[in-house]
Each structure stands twice: as structure tokens, then as C-alpha cells.
Amino acid sequence: QAQLVESGGGSVQAGGSLRLSCAASGYSSHTTNMGWFRQAPGKEREGVAAIYRTLGYTYYSDSVKGRFTISQDKVENTVFLQMNSLKPEDTAMYYCAASRYAGSTYALAEWAYNAWGQGTQVTVSS
């Protein structure tokens, strides 16, 4: 059973940066996607970034493109989300997830992911 543990959340001012980490255990697949999702209070969970682990292709939602960067360390089996130029609207619980699929088609589709971390809170103040 895959276990995903996020870390790195916190509180920052607008314009600041945070780096989230997701350590995967019991999950050794490097042939599918891993992604980051977020859920703000009263809103649906949305996919913000994903990485196709085999080739390192990355995918982003329009809301974070150019500000967030997803990357991986295959040796450490860890996925990262570097978040720059943070805005108050980025405030949410951020979740790491492992997908059953690879590539772009379902990269940011919540239903495609079958293993989830417990989440880490990111709060951006204006």
C-alpha cells in the first residue's frame, strides 16, 4: 500500500515562496504520474501540477503556470512543488497523489489518482 507524506507547508506573505515535499513509501512506480492538488475552504479540490515520472514531463494548471514548478528525486522517491510568487488565492490544503495513469491526458484529473497524502496547509497573507 502506497504511503505519501507531504511536508513543507506554512504561512508566508504574498510574493513569498514555499517548497513542498512528498515522500513516497511502498510505492515504487516510476512509470505513472504523481501530482499535487489543492483544496481551499468551500471549494472543490483542483489539480495544480503533475509529473510523468518516467520522462519527467510536467503539467500545470493555468492558475499556477509560470509560478509553480514540480520536480522529482527518483533515488529518494520524492516529488517536490516549488511555489514562487505566492498569492492569497493560493491558500489551501495541498495534497500529493499518485496516479494510475501516465502522461498528459489525465494528469490533473482527480479521479485518476488512487493514493493520497494527508495534506499540508499553505496560507498566504496579503
Side-chain angles (χ1 to χ4, degrees):
Q1 181 70 25
Q3 283 194 315
L4 305 174
V5 180
E6 304 96 334
S7 61
S11 297
V12 295
Q13 290 193 324
S17 298
L18 284 173
R19 189 189 195 210
L20 306 184
S21 298
C22 173
S25 61
Y27 176 77
S28 59
S29 173
H30 291 168
T31 61
T32 56
N33 294 343
M34 286 193 71
W36 286 96
F37 290 73
R38 67 185 181 186
Q39 187 168 23
K43 294 189 176 182
E44 294 187 352
R45 188 154 53 184
E46 64 165 334
V48 297
I51 186 166
Y52 174 25
R53 302 200 72 190
T54 304
L55 298 178
Y57 294 163
T58 57
Y59 316 97
Y60 299 95
S61 67
D62 289 342
S63 60
V64 307
K65 197 173 296 182
R67 300 187 298 121
F68 289 12
T69 302
I70 188 170
S71 61
Q72 64 177 340
D73 182 331
K74 287 185 178 180
V75 174
E76 296 295 327
N77 211 11
T78 300
V79 175
F80 306 97
L81 185 68
Q82 178 67 43
M83 305 185 295
N84 298 329
S85 302
L86 283 162
K87 305 175 182 179
E89 51 263 43
D90 294 319
T91 295
M93 185 72 79
Y94 282 72
Y95 299 89
C96 173
S99 177
R100 296 171 290 172
Y101 299 93
S104 63
T105 304
Y106 308 120
L108 299 180
E110 182 181 355
W111 64 265
Y113 289 75
N114 60 351
W116 294 83
Q118 83 289 349
T120 185
Q121 178 67 38
V122 171
T123 302
V124 185
S125 58
S126 57

